[in-house]
Amino acid sequence: MKLGRVEFCHFLQILALFLCLSGMNQAELSRSRSKPYFQSGRTRTKRSWVWNQFFVLEEYMGTDPLYVGKLHSDVDKGDGSIKYILSGEGASSIFIIDENTGDIHATKRLDREEQAYYTLRAQALDRLTNKPVEPESEFVIKIQDINDNEPKFLDGPYTAGVPEMSPVGTSVVQVTATDADDPTYGNSARVVYSILQGQPYFSVEPKTGVIKTALPNMDREAKDQYLLVIQAKDMVGQNGGLSGTTSVTVTLTDVNDNPPRFPRRSYQYNVPESLPVASVVARIKAADADVGANAEMEYKIVDGDGLGVFKISVDKDTQEGIITIQKELDFEAKTSYTLRIEAANMHVDPRFLSLGPFSDMTTVKIIVEDVDEPPVFTSRLYSMVVSEAAKVGTIIGTVAAHDPDASNSPVRYSIDRNTDLERYFNIDANSGVITTAKSLDRETNAVHNITVLAMESQNPAQVGRGYVAITILDINDNAPEFAMEYETTVCENAQPGQVIQKISAIDKDDPPNGHQFYFSLTAEAANNHNFTLQDNKDNTATVLTRRNGFRRQEQSVFYLPIFIVDSGSPSLSSTNTLTIRVCDCDADGIAQTCNAEAYILPAGLSTGALIAILACVLTLLVLVLLIVTMRRRKKEPLIFDEERDIRENIVRYDDEGGGEEDTEAFDMAALRNLNVIRDTKTRRDVTPEIQFLSRPTFKSIPDNVIFREFIWERLKEADVDPCAPPYDSLQTYAFEGNGSVAESLSSLDSISSNSDQNYDYLSDWGPRFKRLADMYGTGPDCLYS
């Protein structure tokens, strides 16, 4: 095929050269008359050239420049006096001219598809003067087309769709090929179409490129996609023409030509009776070879004994029929159900009704399985009432539960104590009778919500729950009282009959018709001369003054007992005391001061004066105390009193204290017997070498005096302590009260006493008691001395 193309191109080139040479000769021989052309004093008689189109064959493959044509002027005598020049498109770059002979050549390969023609200008000049001897003329070089471009499918590859079962000749898609060659010259751009792949299912129109179906009843379910190869060939499909191909993918779209069909005529499913309502029992699906909307189905239960127990719906994604429970199942009531279910297409195509009904039927049998169920109460909620005056053990009501299984196991009852934390109620384990276990108070809790548990005797893991709401009925067991804590005042200048307070009452009880309270003064206060009470008959009362001229100096506070009775049956009463303070008021009756310290001031003495007097007295007391303290320190002797420093010590020799810097060490003075009358005669800056032990002398002193003296002594010690800081500091008075009435049991001071006790027997106890025998023995000679 390539060889034929080359031969054809050579033939066209030879033909084009022949035509160009013939045209050029005709142009040189032709003459036309024109006006004379004058130049340089000379008169040009006539114009001697006429321009026509030049033709150049495209895609010239030779090595030498391609001859295009020749320019010649009659003025040119052949002596070289005339010079030809060329200008315009492609001049000097593509086209060159021999300035002596006027021959035009093309130096490059030309492509008509890039540029179909070139416009140039030619001029003949006098070589000596370089002036034109002819007017400038314009001519065109047209590129002669050859068949060098194959047809191309600019929009390929193609995809298209056509419904399945379409009749023969149904249009699928149109393909278009373009050829870059010149459509006005020859057959280089005349294209015809043919199908190379895709027969016998499809065909293509040779001139238009329209692809059509070629076979009837193409079934998508058998094959849903086809690949076609379409060819476009120029030169009207003749030998030597160029061709191009493209692919077309044709997809058969679905139509509803397949009815739904159940794979089985019957189904069976086992379901436990304990399955909750709305649970899925089964999923069934009718097969449909179609897709999309053509495969959409609806399911319905058309017959059977489970119409009210089960329902069926469709899953939009999978087109399955979902069977769910609408009511609770009970194996003891019914053990199986039978359902007749229909599946039908939602979108039916009338063209294919002849293929059969687009619906199908199947049977579903549901077997109910028995399970051990917990006891069931006869009611979901029991409502009971009991008076808050009910005694412990009063029967409130009864709950009942039974085992729904065929075994009918006995049931035992109990109360869920998480709902009765205070254990107000009990229940009989066998009968389910609920009784009170504690006294009830409606004001604390008006309604008790408890949960009763029913347990199977044979299987304790099976527990049923019942709910009981116990309402406490109110009785009149709360006396009325003031609605609030009143702050009542009366002015010193109050007049008789003046209202000083309006009071009301509250009652924690809840009578059905509302409260009614009655107010009065108690019997002992009914005849007082200061205040009176008026019942307003609207659950309020008013307190009024009976006299004028109240004086704080005489009495600053009055206590008025008020008797309040409610309307319950039986009625309850209470006495509430109203505190009334006497105050100094301004002209508008507004209390200014009710302070108690003002009541004891003498007439004419102001509060500021009293404060000044108290400050002076306090200053004098402090000065006297300091003088006494300093004098006692000067008179203090430098000797110790034997009877003062008698103490019983427990000495530990393994104490690893903080040394002299340890200020937190224990004060041994706290161990001294505080009942001993002490004298501060010991010199504090001298440590005696020998301390004498003597038995302390006790005095019988009342406890309050003991504590007072102890605190006073500690206070004096702190005051005279030269190391004490010169400012107030915290003092710890760790006093633990009197000692034992038996006094000290220690005999350490017997050596200095007149005791008749004989300790000679210690010498008979052996070496271990030698030390004690030496200390307490009276004989001059000892066994181990």
Side-chain angles (χ1 to χ4, degrees), residues 553-573:
Q553 291 82 357
E554 297 177 358
Q555 187 173 351
S556 61
V557 180
F558 293 90
Y559 299 98
L560 187 65
I562 299 176
F563 187 70
I564 308 175
V565 182
D566 63 15
S567 59
S569 180
S571 62
L572 295 180
S573 63

Side-chain angles (χ1 to χ4, degrees), residues 680-740:
T680 57
K681 298 179 180 180
T682 303
R683 182 173 177 176
R684 300 176 183 273
D685 56 347
V686 177
T687 302
E689 296 180 357
I690 301 174
Q691 295 183 358
F692 297 95
L693 303 177
S694 63
R695 182 178 297 276
T697 303
F698 293 90
K699 293 182 180 181
S700 177
I701 304 174
D703 289 344
N704 57 347
V705 177
I706 292 172
F707 284 105
R708 185 167 60 251
E709 289 184 356
F710 167 72
I711 295 174
W712 182 252
E713 288 182 8
R714 294 301 298 269
L715 180 60
K716 289 191 295 181
E717 291 178 3
D719 290 339
V720 300
D721 187 1
C723 297
Y727 49 80
D728 293 339
S729 62
L730 177 64
Q731 298 295 329
T732 303
Y733 305 105
F735 179 57
E736 299 182 355
N738 293 329
S740 172

Side-chain angles (χ1 to χ4, degrees), residues 194 270 313 385 397 417 584 685 701 747 772:
S194 62
N270 295 339
S313 58
V385 294
R417 291 304 175 184
D584 181 23
D685 56 347
I701 304 174
S747 60
L772 291 176

Side-chain angles (χ1 to χ4, degrees), residues 563-733:
F563 187 70
I564 308 175
V565 182
D566 63 15
S567 59
S569 180
S571 62
L572 295 180
S573 63
S574 67
T575 300
N576 298 262
T577 302
L578 182 67
T579 302
I580 305 174
R581 297 184 180 275
V582 181
C583 299
D584 181 23
C585 302
D586 58 12
D588 297 328
I590 300 175
Q592 297 297 313
T593 177
C594 303
N595 295 332
E597 61 268 15
Y599 306 155
I600 62 174
L601 293 178
L605 188 61
S606 65
T607 303
L610 179 62
I611 294 175
I613 293 172
L614 292 176
C616 292
V617 172
L618 182 61
T619 303
L620 291 175
L621 289 176
V622 172
L623 290 175
V624 171
L625 181 61
L626 290 176
I627 293 171
V628 172
T629 302
M630 296 301 295
R631 292 186 64 184
R632 290 189 63 184
R633 290 193 61 187
K634 291 180 181 180
K635 294 180 180 181
E636 191 171 339
L638 299 178
I639 61 174
F640 277 86
D641 189 357
E642 293 183 0
E643 296 182 355
R644 180 180 181 277
D645 198 42
I646 301 302
R647 58 184 180 271
E648 297 174 359
N649 296 337
I650 300 175
V651 181
R652 294 183 58 185
Y653 298 97
D654 59 348
D655 185 11
E656 296 180 1
E660 294 180 356
E661 298 299 325
D662 186 4
T663 60
E664 301 295 328
F666 182 75
D667 185 5
M668 296 302 295
L671 293 177
R672 295 173 181 169
N673 195 325
L674 298 175
N675 288 336
V676 179
I677 300 177
R678 302 175 182 176
D679 294 324
T680 57
K681 298 179 180 180
T682 303
R683 182 173 177 176
R684 300 176 183 273
D685 56 347
V686 177
T687 302
E689 296 180 357
I690 301 174
Q691 295 183 358
F692 297 95
L693 303 177
S694 63
R695 182 178 297 276
T697 303
F698 293 90
K699 293 182 180 181
S700 177
I701 304 174
D703 289 344
N704 57 347
V705 177
I706 292 172
F707 284 105
R708 185 167 60 251
E709 289 184 356
F710 167 72
I711 295 174
W712 182 252
E713 288 182 8
R714 294 301 298 269
L715 180 60
K716 289 191 295 181
E717 291 178 3
D719 290 339
V720 300
D721 187 1
C723 297
Y727 49 80
D728 293 339
S729 62
L730 177 64
Q731 298 295 329
T732 303
Y733 305 105

Side-chain angles (χ1 to χ4, degrees), residues 112-177:
R112 189 201 67 84
E113 286 69 39
E114 293 182 4
Q115 188 167 345
Y117 60 90
Y118 296 86
T119 301
L120 294 96
R121 294 180 298 278
Q123 195 170 38
L125 303 176
D126 186 288
R127 187 177 296 276
L128 296 178
T129 62
N130 204 28
K131 293 182 179 180
V133 296
E134 293 282 353
E136 184 180 55
S137 297
E138 186 176 80
F139 65 96
V140 175
I141 299 178
K142 186 174 182 181
I143 309 303
Q144 190 70 41
D145 182 47
I146 64 173
N147 190 20
D148 59 342
N149 291 278
E150 71 275 6
K152 294 181 179 180
F153 293 92
L154 301 180
D155 298 329
Y158 295 85
T159 58
V162 64
E164 63 174 331
M165 299 295 181
S166 296
V168 175
T170 301
S171 177
V172 179
V173 68
Q174 183 178 15
V175 297
T176 302

Side-chain angles (χ1 to χ4, degrees), residues 105-294:
H105 290 82
T107 61
K108 294 182 179 180
R109 187 179 67 177
L110 302 177
D111 187 358
R112 189 201 67 84
E113 286 69 39
E114 293 182 4
Q115 188 167 345
Y117 60 90
Y118 296 86
T119 301
L120 294 96
R121 294 180 298 278
Q123 195 170 38
L125 303 176
D126 186 288
R127 187 177 296 276
L128 296 178
T129 62
N130 204 28
K131 293 182 179 180
V133 296
E134 293 282 353
E136 184 180 55
S137 297
E138 186 176 80
F139 65 96
V140 175
I141 299 178
K142 186 174 182 181
I143 309 303
Q144 190 70 41
D145 182 47
I146 64 173
N147 190 20
D148 59 342
N149 291 278
E150 71 275 6
K152 294 181 179 180
F153 293 92
L154 301 180
D155 298 329
Y158 295 85
T159 58
V162 64
E164 63 174 331
M165 299 295 181
S166 296
V168 175
T170 301
S171 177
V172 179
V173 68
Q174 183 178 15
V175 297
T176 302
T178 58
D179 195 321
D181 293 325
D182 189 359
T184 62
Y185 179 76
N187 296 325
S188 298
R190 296 182 62 185
V191 178
V192 294
Y193 301 93
S194 62
I195 183 168
L196 302 182
Q197 179 180 325
Q199 303 96 340
Y201 306 102
F202 300 93
S203 62
V204 62
E205 288 286 342
K207 294 183 179 180
T208 62
V210 176
I211 299 174
K212 299 180 179 180
T213 58
L215 285 180
N217 301 326
M218 285 191 293
D219 190 3
R220 185 198 66 82
E221 288 72 32
K223 186 176 181 180
D224 62 345
Q225 197 172 80
Y226 297 85
L227 181 62
L228 282 62
V229 177
I230 305 299
Q231 182 188 65
K233 190 174 184 179
D234 59 12
M235 298 298 293
V236 202
Q238 298 177 1
N239 292 334
L242 305 179
S243 63
T245 59
T246 189
S247 64
V248 181
T249 302
V250 180
T251 302
L252 297 183
T253 58
D254 185 57
V255 297
N256 192 8
D257 58 340
N258 292 279
R261 292 292 179 263
F262 283 107
R264 296 165 57 183
R265 294 292 91 191
S266 64
Y267 298 86
Q268 179 173 316
Y269 299 95
N270 295 339
V271 179
E273 64 173 332
S274 61
L275 203 64
V277 174
S279 298
V280 176
V281 175
R283 287 176 175 263
I284 60 175
K285 184 178 181 180
D288 192 331
D290 297 322
V291 294
N294 297 317

Side-chain angles (χ1 to χ4, degrees), residues 371-386:
V371 296
D372 190 5
E373 299 174 89
V376 178
F377 284 87
T378 56
S379 176
R380 295 183 62 86
L381 177 64
Y382 294 88
S383 297
M384 302 178 184
V385 294
V386 62

